Amino acid sequence: VLGQDSALVPIDITYVLYDPNDPTSLFLAYTALVPIFIAVGFVPVLFLKREIHNFFFFLGMLLCEVINLILKDLIKQPRPEGAARLGRTGYGMPSDHAQFTTFFCSYCCLFLLFRSRLDHPYLWKPFGLVCLQALGITVSAGRFVMGVHSHAQVFVGMALGNLLAFVWFLLIQFVFSPMFPSIEQWWICRMFYIRDSSHIHNVLKFEYNNAIAHRKELQKKTK
């Protein structure tokens, strides 16, 4: 029988405890799942869009997590007293939630500012920047409020996430992006239609116009 001879433990990544009598506690518990939502939600983005840049972005998120695990094992700073009561054991410096979410949000902000090209940017860019920063701050602050990380662990996690996002964005912008046309020609990219659309000014508009034009062509052929 499962667990008959040993104690069972929960999967730590999805194990979140909260006070059922406190709506704020419930809200913060859900924000603790944001990194999982991001990681899981990114998979269909990779499959549906098949953009080389997205794969490099995802690689950056994985590297961010690996760096966090290495640092935790090297620093070996325990979590605050009371974290074990919330089901959180192990090391806490730096906060993985703060680092990962800040990396994701900061990278998206840099992408919005310097790579994204859509119509009416003065309307949606400020809105996107505010929402992304609010998300990163909320998730990070929630780690301290819930008592699973200290001020310092959260702050270092946010600082490291920002730094890694900035460095990774620069690497993609100036080192990897010039290689995208060559990568696009790899046999695996041709097989799975993995492409580079960075040369297209407005991808959404381009896809929309081509879909409309293709339907019109089909309609002409059927007449």
Side-chain angles (χ1 to χ4, degrees), residues 109 112 124-137:
C109 286
L112 282 175
W124 57 264
K125 276 192 176 184
F127 176 76
L129 293 173
V130 170
C131 289
L132 286 166
Q133 289 302 309
L135 176 64
I137 293 172

Side-chain angles (χ1 to χ4, degrees), residues 85-97:
R85 180 178 62 86
L86 298 170
R88 291 296 173 177
T89 57
Y91 303 124
M93 174 63 84
S95 166
D96 50 352
H97 279 72

